[in-house]
Amino acid sequence: MSEVSVQQANDRETMLIHTPFHSRSSALNKLNSWENWKGFMVAHEYDDYELEYFAIRSQTGVMDLTPMTKYRITGPDAEAYLNRLVTRDVTKIKVGRVGYTVWCNSDGQVMDDGTIFHLAEDEYRLCSYTHCIDWLMWSAEGFDVEIVDETKQVAALAVQGPTSCSCLMAMGLEGIENLKPFGLTTFPFEGGELMVSRTGFTGDLGYELWVEPALAEALWDQLFAAGKQYLIRPFGLYALDMARKEAGFIQAAVDFVPAEDQVRVGRTRSPFEIGLGWLVDFNKPFFNGRKALLKEKENGSRYRFVMLDIEGNKPANNSFILNKKGKVIGTVTSAGWCPSAKANVAFGQVDAKYGEIGEELITEIYYERELHWTKVLAKSVVVKGPMYDPPRRRATPPAPF
Amino acid sequence: MKKYDAIVIGAGHNGLTNAAYLAKAGLDVLVLEMNSYIGGATVSRELHKDWKYTNCSYVCGLLRPEINRDLELPRHGLQVVPYGGGVTFMENGDYYGNFSDHNRQHREMARHSVRDANAYERYGADVTKQTRLIRKFLLRTPPDPASWKMSDIKEMMVLAKTVMDMKTDVNFGDTLKYWTKSVGDFLDEYFESDIIKAHLGGTGIIGTALGVYSPGTAYVLLHHYMGDVDGTAGAWGFTRGGMGAVANALASSFKSFGGEIRTDAKVKQIMVRNGKTTGVALEDGTEFYADIVVSNLEAKRTFLGIMDEKDLPEYVIERAKNFKSRGSSGKVNIALDGLPTFPALPKGTPLMAGDFHFTDSLTRMEKAYDDWKDGNFSRDPYVDTLIPTLTDPTMAPPGKHMMTCFVQYCPPKIQGREWTDADRDAFGQTVIDQVANYSPDFKDLILHAEVRTPREIEAEIGLTEGNIFQGELTFDQLFSNRPFPGYGQYRGPVKGMYMCGSSTHPGGGVMAAPGANAAREILIDLKRNNTVPEGYADD
Ligand SMILES: Cc1cc2nc3c(=O)[nH]c(=O)nc-3n(C[C@H](O)[C@H](O)[C@H](O)COP(=O)(O)OP(=O)(O)OC[C@H]3O[C@@H](n4cnc5c(N)ncnc54)[C@H](O)[C@@H]3O)c2cc1C
């Protein structure tokens, strides 16, 4: 059977698709603990989520990123099209650079957040959480672009942590140390091409590696062989979730409802309402949602995103947020203990009247110990965040560890 | 002449914690350290090119999370990284491994004793109950039981209430037992297997001039379980970059509040006039002035070393002389050219990341103590060995490794006479041989070794007799009795003079609690806004 038909057979017969790294990741998954990420099978935890998390902060952690939804956008109008689609100014994302962005519907409500990779002249990759080709196609009316879902055609690894640059250097990726944050570059690899971007979802020094599926196993093997002396280890989605909260990154479908999924009125949010107003560039004459966003800017938003530094160590999952008088003003969307920052963080949505940096609010936390429930009204200060932001994240060239 | 608000003598981690809290409260604080580097027993130095050693303390688990967070130590560069694994090698070629996964641990224990594997649940619950009781009082000043002061009576009530509240969980009678009995007797109540008792028992003798069957050692075990890395009680981790990172982060935090540190500044004398401190004088004659002088030094050194006997009550001199600060530990730090192999272990096992022990019965541990009583270092020593470079990539070049060996027992004097360099080398060799018994390629990989007996530990950081805790952690010297009855609240016998080192409650280890508690008392005396965290949010 050819490579492609093996994959097709796999697709038809199994509930969850194996990624091209499966032979490697499954050999290391001692707990046999998997998650369903958009229909792909990806490790939840390999052997110890805590040590996996700490690999990201102290060594190098590797995560299978393949299920990330990826679209290739090409054609003479690619830049103009993207500029119309998303809120930020795409002309500022030069070839060889990556940009984080959001895109909105015409009501100015966020459809998704994601990254735009400017691969070459008239050639982009858009990574998203949602499957959004339907929306991409609607928005493409009148533009000379081609949009292809290449999720399965690109295997990807996140390589994150203070020794990640050392690992890649040891792998022979010459000059990788000069790659700046949000830069991307390519290397010849096993007769094909390896793309490396200095990006990630952990808030630490880190890179993402992209290859065709046929080279995936070779990539994994070479990376782990080179990284051994830098204490490389794989990590699962559990550890990633810990890292991203500490790094202050929101997640679609967790911290906001992608606008297309909304059923009940008023459940979606604008970029301003999820703390991503800085991604909206009104200098652009047209983009989806511009009119509505401009109006919101003038009239004010309904909600405000807050990052809370909460006293104590009980995670504020699913908590109500109260003002100092005890009135409910919002809810927590993500929460957790930050093991490196030693802080108890929560992301929340509050009534826009509240949530200035420095304001003291209250979260209503329930926790259970041996079937006994306790309620705490925890002092919660609105902070700018992120909780953990090590300087090595931005250093170029990075230190060896 | 400039006058500071407060002078802290010693840049150990407790001195720095104390200074940071005083500076945070707005005081103008000077820290004076005799060495050219800070940290005291919390230090990492490069003694072999490109290798960093954790010269004294080597693992971090007791550091109070409240302080870590409050002084923003992560922002000042502190990263505590937990490690897994751990193994005790057996003379018969087998081993006992420590796994973080509960069920895997059960299976490993059952390999040695099915009953012990089950008893471990009871043991775990009991230890947790006892440490929960103690933990509450780490960041509180002990009450003086002989005092009628309102604050003391109140604190005695807190103590009584805690005990009453916990009545359903722990029987206070049991608690008293755990505080006074031997670790051997303690473990005998749960386990039948020698190897399991040996694996768990070592923590009862760490840093202690007592044997596994000496009364009081069960508490030392509890003391080591008191920490909680992120709520995982009893967990231990490495500080990235070595234990010196704790001191560096504290120093950085202290400086962010405007504090000043002077190294190579050995204090000779705390100056006293009219029953009040006025400042300190250095060995080189320089004087610094402040109404508040805090000593981070061990109690003997504080009262018998840098204070004039004339300035002290008789009682304090006598108590200081009788304060037990017996040296019993040594340390060997080794630079390795590669990772040694241990043929008894499965290849690539995660057990390697944790502590290695080579003593497989309490009987062997007790014999190791017998040597100490005879004035010798143990011929078959109990060694707590780790290879931090399997977790922390910053301590040695890539592919190379650093090993730390904490050794019990090593006497402050050899058969009553002073140590010689030859004695020290023989001690180092005994430790290396102990490891090499289980690792055939170990010796060939050694590039450099730092061998520290109590002689070196005393000379380099001023821990009397090399006692790692600044005084034994026995019940007679704990809580309101630390360092002496009547002086358990950080205040010295002279107005303006305070103590903040591990010689005070709650004792030794890289915990930062004594330093913080002392700062709280000082701020109370100054009627300043008190920002030092107090107590413990129990769940
Ligand atoms: C070998 C060893 C291993 C240990 N292992 C661990 C471990 O793994 N984990 C753990 O938690 N704990 C461990 N401990 C215990 C722990 O390190 C100590 O209890 C703790 O660091 C003591 O801190 P401190 O601030 O109270 O005092 P110290 O660290 O003793 O600080 C006192 C400071 O005062 C300075 N000084 C002394 N005299 C003068 C003077 N006259 N003038 C100016 N300065 C002076 C000293 O140089 C020193 O810096 C270990 C200790 C040792 C020795």
Side-chain angles (χ1 to χ4, degrees):
Chain A
M1 261 197 286
S2 75
E3 195 73 45
V4 172
S5 58
V6 169
Q7 185 164 9
Q8 283 171 347
N10 179 335
D11 277 18
R12 256 180 263 128
E13 284 162 21
T14 54
M15 185 81 172
L16 292 177
I17 309 170
H18 290 174
T19 81
F21 298 108
H22 189 76
S23 63
R24 302 303 188 265
S25 57
S26 57
L28 294 170
N29 196 327
K30 293 187 194 154
L31 291 168
N32 220 352
S33 167
W34 301 95
E35 264 187 56
N36 179 344
W37 179 3
K38 292 269 175 216
F40 290 84
M41 193 170 171
V42 173
H44 170 71
E45 179 182 8
Y46 281 87
D47 50 4
D48 185 326
Y49 72 85
E50 217 185 349
L51 298 183
E52 289 165 35
Y53 158 82
F54 276 104
I56 299 169
R57 293 283 180 248
S58 181
Q59 312 166 2
T60 290
V62 178
M63 196 192 84
D64 185 352
L65 196 65
T66 308
M68 169 73 74
T69 311
K70 308 180 247 341
Y71 299 101
R72 174 77 63 146
I73 296 162
T74 50
D77 287 345
E79 182 185 277
Y81 162 68
L82 282 169
N83 227 1
R84 166 67 186 264
L85 178 77
V86 306
T87 56
R88 70 181 274 183
D89 186 353
V90 176
T91 62
K92 287 185 181 153
I93 307 171
K94 302 287 179 224
V95 175
R97 301 287 300 163
V98 184
Y100 174 60
T101 189
V102 290
W103 50 100
C104 297
N105 63 14
S106 44
D107 297 333
Q109 301 299 293
V110 177
M111 312 269 312
D112 202 352
D113 64 341
T115 39
I116 294 173
F117 291 67
H118 197 166
L119 306 174
E121 205 58 41
D122 300 334
E123 212 176 323
Y124 292 87
R125 171 178 297 153
L126 176 70
C127 290
S128 66
Y129 166 77
T130 55
H131 290 150
C132 55
I133 195 157
D134 181 43
W135 176 252
L136 296 185
M137 292 297 204
W138 281 115
S139 310
E141 298 283 342
F143 289 97
D144 185 2
V145 287
E146 193 190 5
I147 304 168
V148 178
D149 182 340
E150 58 173 3
T151 305
K152 287 183 192 155
Q153 279 72 55
V154 183
L157 291 177
V159 183
Q160 306 278 307
T163 61
S164 55
C165 184
S166 293
C167 291
L168 298 183
M169 283 166 76
M171 220 181 106
L173 304 188
E174 229 168 280
I176 189 69
E177 67 277 14
N178 299 321
L179 188 66
K180 296 206 174 85
F182 288 102
L184 70 84
T185 181
T186 58
F187 299 90
F189 183 75
E190 298 292 304
E193 190 181 77
L194 167 65
M195 186 176 99
V196 181
S197 54
R198 187 163 164 189
T199 46
F201 202 47
T202 64
D204 219 298
L205 174 65
Y207 301 83
E208 289 170 333
L209 277 47
W210 317 77
V211 285
E212 59 186 282
L215 301 180
E217 289 175 349
L219 175 65
W220 182 288
D221 293 344
Q222 289 188 31
L223 176 65
F224 275 78
K228 187 165 188 256
Q229 57 184 342
Y230 298 103
L231 309 180
I232 200 165
R233 67 183 290 161
F235 69 94
L237 291 170
Y238 193 148
L240 178 74
D241 196 48
M242 293 167 79
R244 70 106 188 160
K245 287 182 221 163
E246 190 170 48
F249 294 138
I250 60 167
Q251 189 173 330
V254 174
D255 298 300
F256 65 90
V257 178
E260 199 154 56
D261 299 346
Q262 180 207 229
V263 176
R264 294 166 188 82
V265 177
R267 302 296 156 90
T268 56
R269 295 290 183 269
S270 76
F272 300 113
E273 293 170 336
I274 57 173
L276 297 179
W278 59 279
L279 290 173
V280 181
D281 189 343
F282 285 119
N283 294 326
K284 295 198 298 178
F286 297 113
F287 62 88
N288 292 349
R290 186 177 190 274
K291 236 167 114 181
L293 290 172
L294 209 52
K295 210 166 132 207
E296 178 180 337
K297 192 154 176 101
E298 280 159 17
N299 300 345
S301 304
R302 300 160 298 167
Y303 302 99
R304 195 198 298 249
F305 169 82
V306 286
M307 200 179 302
L308 299 172
D309 184 356
I310 301 176
E311 74 176 347
N313 60 5
K314 306 296 174 293
N317 293 304
N318 311 321
S319 295
F320 282 114
I321 302 172
L322 320 176
N323 69 5
K324 279 181 104 174
K325 290 189 185 135
K327 180 180 157 214
V328 175
I329 57 158
T331 51
V332 167
T333 55
S334 281
W337 177 252
C338 304
S340 295
K342 299 291 171 213
N344 193 14
V345 75
F347 303 163
Q349 284 287 317
V350 296
D351 187 320
K353 284 206 292 286
Y354 300 93
E356 292 281 354
I357 303 287
E359 191 181 353
E360 199 181 306
L361 300 172
I362 296 165
T363 41
E364 186 178 298
I365 302 173
Y366 292 80
Y367 72 91
E368 179 259 7
R369 291 289 181 274
E370 300 177 321
L371 296 186
H372 178 90
W373 283 90
T374 307
K375 170 175 146 179
V376 261
L377 294 172
K379 177 177 141 184
S380 307
V381 179
V382 180
V383 293
K384 183 158 172 290
M387 293 298 179
Y388 196 66
D389 189 20
R392 61 178 175 249
R393 174 183 177 187
R394 280 173 294 272
T396 310
F401 48 71
Chain B
M1 180 52 85
K2 169 168 184 178
K3 191 169 157 191
Y4 292 88
D5 293 329
I7 293 171
V8 178
I9 308 169
H13 82 285
N14 278 315
L16 292 167
T17 303
N18 185 265
Y21 274 111
L22 296 182
K24 192 179 174 199
L27 269 59
D28 186 8
V29 186
L30 171 69
V31 174
L32 296 169
E33 166 58 45
M34 69 171 179
N35 283 316
S36 56
Y37 50 87
I38 62 165
T42 314
V43 67
S44 9
R45 297 170 66 203
E46 182 176 318
L47 298 180
H48 182 67
K49 193 176 163 356
D50 296 334
W51 264 263
K52 264 190 275 169
Y53 289 147
T54 45
N55 309 74
C56 288
S57 57
Y58 52 104
V59 285
C60 184
L62 301 174
L63 184 67
R64 291 312 308 156
E66 303 90 335
I67 295 171
N68 189 349
R69 187 173 179 182
D70 197 47
L71 293 178
E72 296 192 274
L73 301 187
R75 199 167 64 73
H76 292 284
L78 181 63
Q79 252 188 281
V80 182
V81 180
Y83 59 85
V87 64
T88 297
F89 291 95
M90 298 166 71
E91 278 186 311
N92 68 5
D94 197 357
Y95 65 88
Y96 168 77
N98 183 58
F99 295 88
S100 53
D101 183 86
H102 184 81
N103 295 318
R104 181 69 187 88
Q105 173 80 56
H106 182 274
R107 177 148 58 92
E108 175 66 0
M109 279 198 150
R111 205 163 69 74
H112 297 278
S113 160
V114 175
R115 183 163 180 181
D116 285 2
N118 188 193
Y120 187 67
E121 324 248 334
R122 181 165 57 95
Y123 169 84
D126 283 355
V127 167
T128 309
K129 283 177 205 167
Q130 296 303 329
T131 51
R132 272 164 59 85
L133 182 65
I134 305 166
R135 211 179 282 145
K136 277 203 155 165
F137 294 94
L138 296 176
L139 277 182
R140 298 184 81 94
T141 298
D144 183 346
S147 146
W148 289 103
K149 273 208 326 237
M150 208 47 215
S151 58
D152 287 309
I153 293 167
K154 260 200 209 145
E155 189 63 19
M156 285 300 277
M157 297 294 283
V158 172
L159 183 64
K161 184 169 183 317
T162 306
V163 172
M164 296 303 282
D165 283 352
M166 296 196 95
K167 210 161 64 186
T168 45
D169 297 338
V170 279
N171 174 335
F172 194 66
D174 275 343
T175 302
L176 282 180
K177 260 167 59 184
Y178 293 129
W179 287 356
T180 50
K181 78 202 304 189
S182 76
V183 67
D185 286 336
F186 176 50
L187 293 168
D188 286 340
E189 288 190 8
Y190 298 90
F191 304 110
E192 60 185 15
S193 146
D194 279 344
I195 175 68
I196 288 172
K197 283 190 261 186
H199 183 84
L200 298 169
T203 39
I205 55 167
I206 294 270
T208 305
L210 293 170
V212 277
Y213 281 103
S214 313
T217 44
Y219 174 78
V220 182
L221 179 140
L222 291 181
H223 192 87
H224 282 95
Y225 279 99
M226 242 154 34
D228 44 333
V229 171
D230 291 351
T232 319
W236 288 84
F238 295 114
T239 48
R240 196 167 196 271
M243 289 301 272
V246 176
N248 293 343
L250 282 166
S252 168
S253 178
F254 170 53
K255 286 180 190 160
S256 75
F257 301 122
E260 177 185 347
I261 300 175
R262 293 204 186 195
T263 49
D264 294 305
K266 184 164 186 181
V267 171
K268 187 169 173 223
Q269 172 96 45
I270 296 179
M271 299 184 295
V272 177
R273 192 179 311 143
N274 302 330
K276 280 198 259 180
T277 50
T278 56
V280 302
L282 301 190
E283 297 242 294
D284 68 11
T286 322
E287 295 186 351
F288 295 98
Y289 306 102
D291 288 343
I292 294 200
V293 175
V294 191
S295 172
N296 180 199
L297 277 51
E298 176 273 330
K300 270 183 171 357
R301 274 191 139 57
T302 299
F303 296 111
L304 307 176
I306 57 167
M307 291 199 76
D308 193 330
E309 294 200 1
K310 289 199 304 290
D311 297 328
L312 296 172
E314 210 57 37
Y315 171 89
V316 168
I317 299 167
E318 178 213 320
R319 293 289 166 145
K321 282 194 173 146
N322 291 330
F323 185 64
K324 276 188 302 171
S325 185
R326 300 176 299 194
S328 65
S329 319
K331 186 89 199 290
V332 182
N333 302 306
I334 303 168
L336 293 167
D337 203 20
L339 187 63
T341 49
F342 291 84
L345 298 179
K347 214 170 168 300
T349 172
L351 296 176
M352 292 269 289
D355 307 63
F356 294 56
H357 304 134
F358 310 93
T359 308
D360 61 358
S361 71
L362 295 183
T363 315
R364 278 174 72 193
M365 258 180 234
E366 188 69 17
K367 285 202 175 119
Y369 178 50
D370 290 341
D371 288 335
W372 180 87
K373 280 185 282 184
D374 291 340
N376 295 315
F377 55 80
S378 307
R379 280 157 300 175
D380 176 16
Y382 170 79
V383 185
D384 184 32
T385 292
L386 283 146
I387 307 178
T389 40
L390 285 171
T391 305
D392 179 354
T394 69
M395 305 295 285
K400 313 287 181 192
H401 289 280
M402 186 274 280
M403 180 186 264
T404 145
C405 303
F406 181 88
V407 192
Q408 210 61 22
Y409 298 80
C410 192
K413 288 193 171 160
I414 288 276
Q415 308 222 316
R417 64 168 169 80
E418 297 300 328
W419 282 81
T420 64
D421 289 354
D423 296 327
R424 181 197 59 206
D425 294 346
F427 165 71
Q429 195 56 48
T430 307
V431 175
I432 287 168
D433 289 343
Q434 182 73 301
V435 180
N437 284 337
Y438 300 87
S439 176
D441 56 1
F442 169 60
K443 282 187 183 173
D444 292 339
L445 293 169
I446 298 177
L447 298 172
H448 175 266
E450 177 197 23
V451 181
R452 325 191 81 198
T453 71
R455 174 181 69 160
E456 283 76 26
I457 297 174
E458 170 152 17
E460 285 168 30
I461 39 178
L463 287 167
T464 300
E465 288 193 25
N467 183 293
I468 74 164
F469 295 131
Q470 286 202 355
E472 296 268 26
L473 295 178
T474 46
F475 200 44
D476 55 322
Q477 302 195 145
L478 286 175
F479 204 52
S480 52
N481 275 6
R482 193 165 185 88
F484 336 121
Y487 286 89
Q489 297 181 333
Y490 310 95
R491 290 174 189 81
V494 168
K495 192 166 177 338
M497 189 256 160
Y498 296 83
M499 302 167 270
C500 76
S502 299
S503 278
T504 59
H505 171 76
V510 180
M511 198 179 331
N517 287 344
R520 191 182 317 109
E521 294 304 313
I522 295 167
L523 293 172
I524 288 172
D525 288 354
L526 291 177
K527 302 192 167 52
R528 287 268 184 157
N529 190 10
N530 207 336
T531 57
V532 186
E534 180 166 14
Y536 178 74
D538 212 352
D539 57 17

